[in-house]
C-alpha cells in the first residue's frame, strides 16, 4: 500500500493538473466501455461490436449523442438509467462530482484537489472553487428533478404513455438530456411528437441554455439573487467580465442563429408553416444545434445552406466551463472583438469598461485556428474514406467536435477509420482544444528567460 502511495505521489509531482484531468476522462471512458459491455444493461437481442460500444462510451462521456447503433435496440431500461448517470458525470465533470462526494463524506479537500477543480472548470482563481462546485451541482440537480416531475406529469396528462411510471421515466430522461445537453435519442423520434407544444419546447430551450451558459455564470447569478434579497447588504453587485461576455455572446449567437435559420428556410421548410411554428422551430434549432442535439424534424428536410449554418453553430458550441463542447462562445467572441479592434486601428480590445488581456486574445486565435485545421483535416480524411456527400461529412464533423449529436444519418454507416475520426473529435471537443495542446507540455518546462531581437515581417 505504501509503495502505491509513493508511486502516486511521484506521478502527481511530475504531472500537470491538465494531464491528470485528461487521463481521468480517458479512464472514465474505459470504465464506461466496460459497463456498456455488460449483458445486464443490454437487450438479449442487442448486438454491437467492441468498436461501436467504445464509440458509445466516448459519446456518452463527452455527452455528444452520436451513436452507431440504435439505443432502444441494444440497451434495456437499466442501460438507459446507466446512461442518465453517465450524462451527469460527463456533463458536470469528474472533478465536480468527486468534490461533491468528498463534501458529502466530510473529507478534507486538499490544495492539489482544488487545483484540479480550478483547471477542470476553467477558473482564473483558486479561491471559491469548492463553493462554485457545491452551488452549481445543487442547482443542476434541482432543475433536473423539478422539470423531470413537470415533464412526467405533462406526458401522462397527454396520455402519451400507458402509466405514470413510463411517463416518469421519459420525463426525467428528457429533463436530464436537456440540462446536460446530451441529446441521445432513445425513441427514434426525439422531440418530434411535441413539435407543436410550444410551452413544452420553450422550457426545453431554457434548460438547454442553462446547461450551456457556463457554471461560473450560474454561480454568479445565484450570488446576485441572494444579494438582491439580502436586506443587510448595500451597494451594487458587480458581475465578472467573463460572465458578461458569456451571457452577451450566448444571447447574440442564439438570436443571430434563429434569425439566420428563419431566413434560410423561408422558401424551404418554413414556406407552408404558420408564423408561430416558423419562429419556434428557428429558436429551438438555434439553441439545440449549439450543443443539445435534440431535434423536431428529419434534418434532411432542411436546405443545404441551413445545414451548413447548423454546422457553424455546432462548431461554435456552448460557453466555457459548461456541459457543452465546441470552440466555445467567448472564444469566438474575443476573436471577433479583436478583429474589430484591429480594423479600427486599436491595439487593445476593450469591452464593458475592461481590457481583455493579450494572452487571452492569443489563446482565442490559436484555439479557433487549430480547431478549424483539425475539423478541416477530419473532413478531408472522411471524404477519402466515406461514400457520403460533403455536406453530410461537414455536418458530422461539426456535430462531433461540438459534442452536439445531430447527424444526417451517416454515423452508423461510417467505416472503421471514420468512426475513429469521430471518436477523436468527440474527445477533443469535450476536453477542449486548449487543454489538448497543453497536455503535451511537461511540468518541468518553463519559459525561456531571454528574448530575441524583434524584426518586422511583411504580412498580407
Amino acid at each position: 500500500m505504501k509503495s502505491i502511495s509513493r508511486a502516486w505521489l511521484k506521478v502527481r509531482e511530475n504531472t500537470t493538473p491538465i494531464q491528470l484531468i485528461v487521463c481521468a476522462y480517458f479512464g472514465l471512458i474505459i470504465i464506461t466501455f466496460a459497463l456498456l459491455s455488460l449483458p445486464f444493461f443490454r437487450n438479449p437481442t442487442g448486438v454491437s461490436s467492441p468498436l461501436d460500444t467504445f464509440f458509445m462510451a466516448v459519446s456518452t462521456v463527452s455527452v455528444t449523442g452520436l451513436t452507431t447503433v440504435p439505443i432502444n435496440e441494444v440497451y434495456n431500461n437499466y442501460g438507459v438509467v446507466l446512461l442518465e448517470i453517465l450524462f451527469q458525470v460527463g456533463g458536470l465533470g469528474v472533478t465536480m462530482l468527486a468534490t461533491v462526494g468528498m463534501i458529502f463524506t466530510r473529507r478534507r479537500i486538499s490544495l492539489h484537489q482544488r487545483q484540479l477543480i480550478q483547471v477542470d472548470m476553467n477558473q482564473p482563481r483558486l479561491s471559491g472553487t469548492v463553493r462554485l462546485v457545491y452551488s452549481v451541482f445543487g442547482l443542476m440537480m434541482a432543475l433536473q428533478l423539478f422539470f423531470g416531475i413537470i415533464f412526467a406529469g405533462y406526458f401522462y396528462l397527454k396520455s402519451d404513455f400507458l402509466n405514470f411510471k413510463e411517463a416518469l421515466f421519459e420525463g426525467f430522461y428528457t429533463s436530464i438530456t436537456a440540462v446536460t445537453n446530451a441529446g441521445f435519442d432513445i425513441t427514434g423520434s426525439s422531440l418530434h411528437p411535441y413539435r407543436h407544444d410550444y410551452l413544452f419546447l420553450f422550457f426545453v430551450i431554457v434548460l438547454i441554455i442553462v446547461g450551456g451558459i457556463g457554471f461560473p455564470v450560474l454561480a454568479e447569478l445565484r450570488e446576485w439573487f441572494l444579494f438582491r434579497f439580502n436586506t443587510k447588504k448595500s451597494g451594487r453587485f458587480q458581475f465578472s467580465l467573463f460572465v458578461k461576455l458569456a451571457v452577451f455572446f450566448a444571447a447574440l449567437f442564439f438570436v443571430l442563429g434563429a434569425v439566420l435559420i428563419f431566413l434560410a428556410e423561408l422558401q424551404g421548410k418554413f414556406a407552408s408553416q404558420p408564423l408561430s411554428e416558423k419562429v419556434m422551430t428557428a429558436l429551438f434549432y438555434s439553441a439545440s444545434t449549439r450543443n443539445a442535439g435534440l431535434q423536431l424534424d428529419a434534418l434532411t428536410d432542411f436546405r443545404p445552406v441551413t445545414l451548413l449554418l447548423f454546422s457553424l453553430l455546432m462548431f461554435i458550441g456552448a460557453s466555457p466551463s459548461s456541459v457543452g463542447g465546441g470552440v466555445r462562445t467567448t472564444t469566438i467572441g474575443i476573436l471577433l472583438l479583436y478583429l474589430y479592434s484591429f480594423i479600427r486601428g486599436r491595439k487593445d480590445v476593450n469591452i464593458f469598461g475592461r481590457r481583455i488581456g493579450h494572452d487571452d486574445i492569443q489563446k482565442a486565435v490559436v484555439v479557433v485556428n487549430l480547431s478549424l485545421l483539425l475539423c478541416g483535416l477530419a473532413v478531408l480524411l472522411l471524404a477519402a474514406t466515406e461514400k457520403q456527400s460533403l455536406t453530410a461529412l461537414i455536418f458530422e464533423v461539426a456535430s462531433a467536435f461540438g459534442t452536439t449529436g445531430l447527424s444526417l444519418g451517416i454515423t452508423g454507416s461510417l467505416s472503421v477509420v471514420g468512426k475513429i475520426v469521430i471518436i477523436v473529435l468527440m474527445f477533443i471537443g469535450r476536453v477542449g482544444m486548449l487543454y489538448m495542446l497543453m497536455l503535451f507540455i511537461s511540468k518541468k518546462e518553463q519559459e525561456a528567460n531571454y528574448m530575441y531581437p524583434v524584426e518586422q515581417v511583411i504580412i498580407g
Side-chain angles (χ1 to χ4, degrees):
M1 194 70 180
K2 291 182 179 179
S3 60
I4 296 175
S5 299
R6 284 196 297 268
W8 164 245
L9 288 174
K10 187 175 181 180
V11 170
R12 197 174 74 175
E13 288 175 0
N14 298 317
T15 309
T16 64
I18 290 176
Q19 291 170 336
L20 285 175
I21 289 171
V22 173
C23 289
Y25 277 108
F26 186 76
L28 179 61
I29 288 172
I30 300 301
I31 295 172
T32 303
F33 170 74
L35 290 174
L36 293 177
S37 300
L38 296 176
F40 179 76
F41 299 110
R42 304 166 73 97
N43 289 319
T45 57
V47 179
S48 63
S49 67
L51 179 59
D52 289 330
T53 304
F54 187 75
F55 188 103
M56 184 69 181
V58 177
S59 186
T60 303
V61 172
S62 62
V63 285
T64 300
L66 291 174
T67 59
T68 55
V69 293
I71 295 178
N72 55 341
E73 294 181 10
V74 177
Y75 300 100
N76 55 27
N77 286 343
Y78 294 110
V80 174
V81 172
L82 173 65
L83 291 177
E84 291 177 330
I85 296 172
L86 293 170
F87 295 161
Q88 310 291 347
V89 181
L92 300 180
V94 289
T95 58
M96 177 184 288
L97 295 183
T99 304
V100 170
M102 295 178 71
I103 292 174
F104 285 154
T105 56
R106 298 183 178 180
R107 292 177 58 189
R108 180 178 173 272
I109 301 174
S110 66
L111 177 62
H112 182 260
Q113 290 160 339
R114 292 172 189 268
Q115 290 175 333
L116 291 177
I117 300 169
Q118 179 190 12
V119 172
D120 192 25
M121 300 191 70
N122 202 16
Q123 290 300 292
R125 294 181 297 273
L126 190 64
S127 60
T129 52
V130 176
R131 185 173 64 252
L132 170 66
V133 165
Y134 191 75
S135 59
V136 169
F137 178 81
L139 177 61
M140 298 291 271
M141 291 299 106
L143 281 173
Q144 293 177 54
L145 177 63
F146 177 77
F147 281 98
I149 296 173
I150 295 296
F151 289 163
Y154 172 74
F155 292 152
Y156 183 70
L157 292 175
K158 280 181 63 66
S159 302
D160 291 336
F161 297 90
L162 297 176
N163 53 63
F164 187 71
K165 182 179 178 181
E166 292 182 3
L168 192 67
F169 185 87
E170 182 67 21
F172 270 94
Y173 186 84
T174 303
S175 175
I176 290 171
T177 52
V179 173
T180 60
N181 286 193
F184 282 89
D185 182 13
I186 60 173
T187 62
S189 58
S190 193
L191 298 182
H192 177 73
Y194 311 101
R195 63 167 293 105
H196 298 294
D197 296 334
Y198 297 154
L199 183 61
F200 169 75
L201 294 180
F202 170 78
F203 284 121
V204 171
I205 291 173
V206 170
L207 293 180
I208 292 172
I209 292 174
V210 169
I213 196 66
F215 301 141
V217 177
L218 298 178
E220 284 200 28
L221 287 175
R222 175 181 175 273
E223 292 179 9
W224 171 80
F225 182 82
L226 296 175
F227 180 87
R228 287 292 303 270
F229 288 91
N230 189 342
T231 56
K232 296 181 180 179
K233 291 186 178 182
S234 58
R236 182 182 178 186
F237 186 88
Q238 183 67 38
F239 286 103
S240 66
L241 178 61
F242 169 77
V243 169
K244 292 177 181 179
L245 288 174
V247 172
F248 175 77
F249 285 112
L252 175 65
F253 292 136
F254 173 66
V255 174
L256 186 61
V259 171
L260 292 177
I261 293 170
F262 182 88
L263 295 176
E265 288 296 326
L266 269 181
Q267 302 301 320
K269 184 177 177 60
F270 294 167
S272 60
Q273 293 180 355
L275 179 61
S276 58
E277 187 172 352
K278 294 176 184 177
V279 172
M280 180 53 71
T281 303
L283 290 172
F284 181 87
Y285 278 107
S286 181
S288 184
T289 51
R290 282 200 302 106
N291 215 243
L294 299 171
Q295 60 189 81
L296 304 176
D297 319 87
L299 296 177
T300 51
D301 294 342
F302 289 97
R303 300 173 64 198
V305 63
T306 310
L307 295 177
L308 292 176
L309 178 59
F310 286 173
S311 300
L312 177 61
L313 292 173
M314 290 189 290
F315 178 79
I316 294 172
S319 298
S321 301
S322 70
V323 300
V327 292
R328 311 307 202 270
T329 53
T330 52
T331 306
I332 295 293
I334 289 175
L335 180 61
L336 293 175
L337 291 173
Y338 172 67
L339 292 175
Y340 175 77
S341 297
F342 182 82
I343 292 172
R344 298 292 298 271
R346 300 171 182 172
K347 292 184 178 180
D348 295 326
V349 177
N350 303 314
I351 188 172
F352 298 125
R354 293 290 186 272
R355 179 171 58 87
I356 298 176
H358 291 291
D359 287 345
D360 291 330
I361 297 172
Q362 188 179 49
K363 289 177 184 177
V365 172
V366 170
V367 167
V368 172
N369 286 331
L370 286 179
S371 297
L372 287 170
L373 179 62
L374 174 68
C375 291
L377 289 175
V379 171
L380 287 175
L381 188 56
L382 291 179
T385 60
E386 314 301 322
K387 296 180 180 179
Q388 304 290 344
S389 68
L390 185 60
T391 300
L393 295 179
I394 293 174
F395 195 90
E396 195 81 5
V397 166
S399 179
F401 181 75
T403 67
T404 305
L406 294 174
S407 176
L408 294 176
I410 71 170
T411 312
S413 61
L414 292 174
S415 64
V416 173
V417 175
K419 291 176 182 179
I420 293 174
V421 169
I422 297 301
I423 285 173
V424 173
L425 287 172
M426 290 190 295
F427 185 75
I428 295 177
R430 175 60 185 91
V431 175
M433 177 59 75
L434 187 61
Y435 283 5
M436 288 303 298
L437 293 174
M438 299 176 70
L439 176 65
F440 303 102
I441 299 177
S442 170
K443 194 172 185 179
K444 295 181 179 180
E445 288 188 58
Q446 297 179 354
E447 289 189 15
N449 55 5
Y450 56 86
M451 297 175 66
Y452 289 107
V454 175
E455 184 173 345
Q456 295 296 321
V457 178
I458 299 173
I459 302 295

Coordinates of all heavy atoms in Angstrom, one line a residue, residues 357-421:
G357 N -7.0 40.8 -21.8 CA -5.5 40.6 -21.9 C -5.1 40.0 -23.2 O -5.8 39.2 -23.8
H358 N -3.8 40.3 -23.5 CA -3.3 39.8 -24.8 C -3.1 38.3 -24.8 O -3.2 37.6 -25.8 CB -1.9 40.5 -25.1 CG -2.1 41.9 -25.4 ND1 -2.6 42.4 -26.6 CD2 -1.7 43.1 -24.7 CE1 -2.6 43.7 -26.7 NE2 -2.1 44.1 -25.5
D359 N -2.9 37.7 -23.6 CA -2.8 36.3 -23.5 C -4.1 35.6 -23.9 O -4.1 34.6 -24.6 CB -2.4 35.8 -22.1 CG -0.9 36.2 -21.8 OD1 -0.2 36.4 -22.7 OD2 -0.5 36.2 -20.6
D360 N -5.2 36.2 -23.4 CA -6.5 35.6 -23.8 C -6.8 35.7 -25.2 O -7.4 34.8 -25.9 CB -7.6 36.3 -22.9 CG -7.5 36.0 -21.4 OD1 -7.0 34.8 -21.1 OD2 -7.9 36.8 -20.6
I361 N -6.4 36.9 -25.8 CA -6.6 37.0 -27.3 C -5.8 36.0 -28.1 O -6.2 35.4 -29.0 CB -6.2 38.5 -27.7 CG1 -7.1 39.5 -27.0 CG2 -6.3 38.6 -29.2 CD1 -6.7 40.9 -27.2
Q362 N -4.5 35.8 -27.6 CA -3.7 34.9 -28.3 C -4.2 33.5 -28.2 O -4.2 32.7 -29.2 CB -2.3 34.9 -27.7 CG -1.2 34.1 -28.4 CD 0.1 34.2 -27.7 OE1 0.3 34.0 -26.5 NE2 1.2 34.5 -28.5
K363 N -4.7 33.1 -27.0 CA -5.4 31.8 -26.9 C -6.6 31.6 -27.8 O -6.8 30.5 -28.4 CB -5.8 31.6 -25.4 CG -4.6 31.4 -24.4 CD -5.2 31.3 -23.0 CE -4.0 31.2 -22.0 NZ -4.5 31.1 -20.6
A364 N -7.4 32.6 -27.9 CA -8.6 32.6 -28.7 C -8.2 32.4 -30.2 O -8.8 31.5 -30.9 CB -9.4 33.8 -28.6
V365 N -7.2 33.1 -30.7 CA -6.7 33.0 -32.0 C -6.2 31.5 -32.3 O -6.5 30.9 -33.3 CB -5.7 34.0 -32.4 CG1 -5.1 33.8 -33.7 CG2 -6.3 35.4 -32.3
V366 N -5.4 31.0 -31.4 CA -4.8 29.7 -31.5 C -5.9 28.6 -31.5 O -5.9 27.7 -32.4 CB -3.7 29.5 -30.4 CG1 -3.3 28.0 -30.4 CG2 -2.5 30.4 -30.6
V367 N -6.8 28.7 -30.6 CA -7.8 27.7 -30.4 C -8.7 27.7 -31.7 O -9.0 26.6 -32.2 CB -8.7 28.0 -29.2 CG1 -10.0 27.1 -29.2 CG2 -7.9 27.6 -27.9
V368 N -9.1 28.8 -32.2 CA -10.0 28.8 -33.4 C -9.3 28.3 -34.6 O -9.8 27.5 -35.3 CB -10.5 30.3 -33.6 CG1 -11.3 30.3 -35.0 CG2 -11.5 30.7 -32.5
N369 N -8.0 28.8 -34.8 CA -7.3 28.3 -36.0 C -7.0 26.8 -35.9 O -7.2 26.1 -36.9 CB -6.0 29.1 -36.1 CG -6.2 30.5 -36.6 OD1 -7.1 30.8 -37.3 ND2 -5.3 31.4 -36.2
L370 N -6.6 26.3 -34.8 CA -6.3 24.9 -34.7 C -7.6 24.0 -34.8 O -7.5 22.9 -35.3 CB -5.5 24.6 -33.4 CG -4.1 25.0 -33.4 CD1 -3.4 24.7 -32.0 CD2 -3.3 24.4 -34.5
S371 N -8.7 24.6 -34.3 CA -9.9 23.8 -34.3 C -10.4 23.8 -35.8 O -10.9 22.7 -36.2 CB -11.0 24.5 -33.5 OG -10.6 24.5 -32.1
L372 N -10.2 24.9 -36.5 CA -10.6 24.8 -38.0 C -9.7 23.9 -38.7 O -10.1 23.1 -39.6 CB -10.4 26.2 -38.5 CG -11.5 27.3 -38.2 CD1 -11.1 28.7 -38.6 CD2 -12.9 26.9 -38.8
L373 N -8.4 23.9 -38.4 CA -7.5 23.0 -39.0 C -7.8 21.5 -38.7 O -7.8 20.7 -39.6 CB -6.0 23.3 -38.6 CG -4.9 22.4 -39.1 CD1 -4.8 22.5 -40.6 CD2 -3.6 22.7 -38.5
L374 N -8.1 21.2 -37.5 CA -8.5 19.8 -37.1 C -9.8 19.4 -37.8 O -9.8 18.3 -38.3 CB -8.7 19.8 -35.5 CG -9.2 18.5 -35.0 CD1 -8.2 17.4 -35.1 CD2 -9.6 18.6 -33.5
C375 N -10.8 20.2 -37.8 CA -12.0 19.8 -38.4 C -11.9 19.7 -39.9 O -12.5 18.9 -40.6 CB -13.1 20.9 -38.1 SG -13.7 20.8 -36.4
G376 N -11.0 20.6 -40.5 CA -10.8 20.5 -42.0 C -10.1 19.2 -42.3 O -10.4 18.6 -43.3
L377 N -9.1 18.8 -41.5 CA -8.4 17.6 -41.8 C -9.3 16.4 -41.6 O -9.2 15.4 -42.4 CB -7.2 17.5 -40.8 CG -6.0 18.4 -41.1 CD1 -4.9 18.3 -40.0 CD2 -5.4 18.1 -42.5
A378 N -10.2 16.5 -40.6 CA -11.2 15.4 -40.4 C -12.1 15.3 -41.6 O -12.4 14.1 -42.0 CB -12.0 15.7 -39.1
V379 N -12.6 16.4 -42.1 CA -13.4 16.3 -43.3 C -12.7 15.7 -44.5 O -13.2 14.9 -45.2 CB -14.0 17.7 -43.7 CG1 -14.7 17.7 -45.0 CG2 -14.9 18.2 -42.6
L380 N -11.4 16.1 -44.7 CA -10.6 15.6 -45.8 C -10.5 14.1 -45.7 O -10.6 13.3 -46.6 CB -9.3 16.3 -45.9 CG -9.3 17.7 -46.4 CD1 -7.9 18.3 -46.3 CD2 -9.8 17.7 -47.8
L381 N -10.2 13.6 -44.4 CA -10.0 12.2 -44.2 C -11.3 11.4 -44.4 O -11.3 10.3 -45.0 CB -9.5 12.0 -42.8 CG -9.0 10.6 -42.4 CD1 -8.0 10.1 -43.4 CD2 -8.5 10.5 -41.0
L382 N -12.4 11.9 -43.9 CA -13.7 11.3 -44.1 C -14.1 11.3 -45.6 O -14.7 10.3 -46.1 CB -14.8 12.0 -43.3 CG -14.7 11.8 -41.8 CD1 -15.8 12.6 -41.1 CD2 -14.7 10.3 -41.4
A383 N -13.7 12.3 -46.3 CA -14.1 12.4 -47.7 C -13.3 11.3 -48.5 O -13.8 10.8 -49.6 CB -13.7 13.8 -48.3
A384 N -12.1 10.9 -48.0 CA -11.3 9.9 -48.7 C -11.8 8.5 -48.3 O -11.5 7.6 -49.1 CB -9.9 10.1 -48.3
T385 N -12.4 8.4 -47.2 CA -12.8 7.0 -46.7 C -14.3 6.7 -46.7 O -14.7 5.5 -46.7 CB -12.3 6.8 -45.2 OG1 -12.9 7.8 -44.4 CG2 -10.8 6.9 -45.1
E386 N -15.1 7.7 -46.8 CA -16.6 7.5 -46.8 C -17.2 7.9 -48.1 O -16.8 8.8 -48.7 CB -17.2 8.3 -45.6 CG -16.5 8.2 -44.3 CD -16.4 6.8 -43.8 OE1 -17.3 6.1 -43.9 OE2 -15.3 6.5 -43.2
K387 N -18.3 7.2 -48.4 CA -19.1 7.5 -49.6 C -20.3 8.3 -49.2 O -21.4 7.8 -49.3 CB -19.5 6.2 -50.3 CG -18.3 5.4 -50.8 CD -18.7 4.1 -51.5 CE -17.5 3.3 -52.0 NZ -17.9 2.0 -52.7
Q388 N -20.1 9.5 -48.8 CA -21.1 10.4 -48.4 C -20.9 11.8 -49.0 O -19.8 12.1 -49.4 CB -21.2 10.5 -46.8 CG -21.3 9.2 -46.1 CD -22.7 8.6 -46.2 OE1 -23.6 9.2 -46.7 NE2 -22.8 7.3 -45.9
S389 N -22.0 12.6 -49.0 CA -21.9 13.9 -49.5 C -21.0 14.8 -48.6 O -20.9 14.5 -47.4 CB -23.3 14.6 -49.6 OG -23.8 14.8 -48.4
L390 N -20.4 15.8 -49.2 CA -19.5 16.7 -48.5 C -20.3 17.4 -47.4 O -19.8 17.6 -46.2 CB -18.9 17.7 -49.4 CG -17.8 18.6 -48.8 CD1 -16.7 17.8 -48.2 CD2 -17.3 19.6 -49.8
T391 N -21.5 17.8 -47.6 CA -22.4 18.5 -46.6 C -22.6 17.6 -45.4 O -22.5 18.0 -44.3 CB -23.7 18.9 -47.2 OG1 -23.5 19.7 -48.3 CG2 -24.6 19.6 -46.2
A392 N -22.9 16.3 -45.7 CA -23.1 15.3 -44.6 C -21.8 15.1 -43.7 O -21.9 15.0 -42.5 CB -23.6 14.0 -45.1
L393 N -20.7 15.1 -44.4 CA -19.4 14.9 -43.7 C -19.1 16.2 -42.8 O -18.6 16.0 -41.7 CB -18.3 14.6 -44.7 CG -18.4 13.3 -45.5 CD1 -17.3 13.2 -46.4 CD2 -18.5 12.1 -44.5
I394 N -19.3 17.4 -43.4 CA -19.0 18.6 -42.6 C -20.0 18.6 -41.4 O -19.5 19.0 -40.3 CB -19.2 19.8 -43.5 CG1 -18.2 19.9 -44.6 CG2 -19.2 21.1 -42.7 CD1 -18.4 21.0 -45.6
F395 N -21.2 18.3 -41.6 CA -22.2 18.3 -40.6 C -21.8 17.3 -39.5 O -21.9 17.6 -38.3 CB -23.5 17.9 -41.1 CG -24.7 18.2 -40.2 CD1 -25.4 19.4 -40.3 CD2 -25.1 17.2 -39.3 CE1 -26.4 19.6 -39.5 CE2 -26.2 17.5 -38.5 CZ -26.9 18.7 -38.6
E396 N -21.3 16.1 -39.8 CA -20.9 15.1 -38.9 C -19.7 15.5 -38.1 O -19.7 15.3 -36.8 CB -20.6 13.7 -39.6 CG -20.6 12.5 -38.7 CD -21.9 12.0 -38.4 OE1 -22.9 12.5 -38.9 OE2 -22.0 11.0 -37.5
V397 N -18.7 16.1 -38.7 CA -17.5 16.6 -38.1 C -17.9 17.7 -37.1 O -17.4 17.7 -35.9 CB -16.5 17.0 -39.1 CG1 -15.4 17.8 -38.4 CG2 -15.9 15.8 -39.8
A398 N -18.7 18.6 -37.5 CA -19.0 19.7 -36.6 C -19.8 19.2 -35.4 O -19.7 19.7 -34.3 CB -19.8 20.8 -37.4
S399 N -20.7 18.3 -35.7 CA -21.5 17.7 -34.6 C -20.6 17.0 -33.5 O -20.9 17.1 -32.3 CB -22.5 16.7 -35.1 OG -23.3 16.2 -34.1
A400 N -19.6 16.2 -34.0 CA -18.7 15.5 -33.1 C -17.9 16.5 -32.3 O -17.7 16.4 -31.1 CB -17.9 14.5 -33.9
F401 N -17.3 17.5 -33.0 CA -16.4 18.4 -32.3 C -17.1 19.3 -31.4 O -16.6 19.7 -30.3 CB -15.6 19.3 -33.4 CG -14.7 20.3 -32.8 CD1 -13.5 19.9 -32.3 CD2 -15.0 21.6 -32.7 CE1 -12.6 20.8 -31.7 CE2 -14.2 22.5 -32.1 CZ -12.9 22.1 -31.6
G402 N -18.4 19.7 -31.8 CA -19.2 20.5 -30.9 C -19.9 19.7 -29.8 O -20.7 20.3 -29.1
T403 N -19.7 18.4 -29.8 CA -20.4 17.4 -28.9 C -21.9 17.7 -28.9 O -22.5 17.7 -27.8 CB -19.8 17.5 -27.4 OG1 -20.1 18.8 -26.9 CG2 -18.3 17.3 -27.4
T404 N -22.4 17.8 -30.1 CA -23.9 18.1 -30.2 C -24.7 16.9 -30.4 O -25.7 16.7 -29.7 CB -24.1 19.0 -31.5 OG1 -23.3 20.2 -31.3 CG2 -25.5 19.4 -31.6
G405 N -24.3 16.0 -31.4 CA -25.1 14.7 -31.5 C -26.0 14.7 -32.7 O -26.6 13.6 -32.9
L406 N -26.2 15.8 -33.4 CA -27.1 15.7 -34.6 C -26.3 15.1 -35.7 O -25.1 15.1 -35.8 CB -27.5 17.2 -35.0 CG -28.3 17.9 -34.0 CD1 -28.5 19.4 -34.5 CD2 -29.7 17.3 -33.8
S407 N -27.1 14.4 -36.6 CA -26.5 13.7 -37.7 C -27.5 13.6 -38.9 O -28.7 13.7 -38.6 CB -26.1 12.3 -37.3 OG -25.6 11.6 -38.4
L408 N -27.0 13.5 -40.0 CA -27.8 13.3 -41.2 C -28.0 11.8 -41.5 O -28.3 11.5 -42.6 CB -27.2 14.0 -42.4 CG -27.1 15.5 -42.3 CD1 -26.4 16.1 -43.6 CD2 -28.5 16.1 -42.2
G409 N -27.7 11.0 -40.5 CA -28.0 9.6 -40.6 C -26.8 8.8 -41.2 O -27.0 7.6 -41.6
I410 N -25.6 9.3 -41.1 CA -24.5 8.6 -41.7 C -23.6 7.9 -40.6 O -22.7 7.2 -41.0 CB -23.6 9.5 -42.6 CG1 -22.9 10.5 -41.7 CG2 -24.5 10.2 -43.6 CD1 -21.8 11.3 -42.5
T411 N -23.9 8.2 -39.3 CA -23.0 7.7 -38.3 C -22.8 6.2 -38.3 O -21.7 5.7 -38.2 CB -23.5 8.2 -36.9 OG1 -23.8 9.6 -36.9 CG2 -22.4 7.9 -35.8
G412 N -24.0 5.5 -38.4 CA -23.9 4.0 -38.3 C -23.2 3.4 -39.5 O -22.8 2.3 -39.4
S413 N -23.2 4.1 -40.7 CA -22.6 3.5 -41.9 C -21.1 3.9 -42.0 O -20.5 3.6 -43.1 CB -23.3 4.0 -43.1 OG -23.3 5.4 -43.2
L414 N -20.5 4.6 -41.1 CA -19.1 5.0 -41.2 C -18.2 3.8 -41.1 O -18.5 2.8 -40.5 CB -18.7 6.0 -40.0 CG -19.4 7.4 -40.0 CD1 -19.0 8.1 -38.7 CD2 -18.9 8.2 -41.2
S415 N -17.1 3.9 -41.8 CA -16.1 2.9 -41.8 C -15.3 2.9 -40.5 O -15.5 3.8 -39.6 CB -15.1 3.1 -43.0 OG -14.4 4.3 -42.8
V416 N -14.4 1.9 -40.3 CA -13.7 1.9 -39.0 C -12.8 3.1 -38.9 O -12.8 3.7 -37.8 CB -12.7 0.6 -39.0 CG1 -11.8 0.7 -37.8 CG2 -13.6 -0.6 -39.0
V417 N -12.2 3.6 -40.0 CA -11.4 4.8 -39.9 C -12.3 6.0 -39.6 O -12.0 6.9 -38.8 CB -10.7 5.1 -41.2 CG1 -10.0 6.4 -41.2 CG2 -9.7 4.0 -41.5
G418 N -13.5 6.1 -40.2 CA -14.5 7.2 -40.0 C -14.9 7.2 -38.5 O -15.0 8.3 -37.9
K419 N -15.2 6.1 -37.9 CA -15.6 6.0 -36.5 C -14.5 6.5 -35.6 O -14.7 7.2 -34.6 CB -16.1 4.6 -36.2 CG -17.4 4.2 -36.8 CD -17.7 2.7 -36.5 CE -19.0 2.3 -37.2 NZ -19.4 0.9 -37.0
I420 N -13.3 6.1 -35.9 CA -12.1 6.5 -35.1 C -11.9 8.0 -35.2 O -11.7 8.7 -34.2 CB -10.8 5.8 -35.5 CG1 -11.0 4.3 -35.2 CG2 -9.6 6.4 -34.8 CD1 -9.8 3.5 -35.7
V421 N -12.1 8.6 -36.4 CA -12.0 10.1 -36.5 C -13.0 10.8 -35.7 O -12.7 11.8 -35.0 CB -12.2 10.4 -38.0 CG1 -12.3 12.0 -38.2 CG2 -11.0 10.0 -38.8

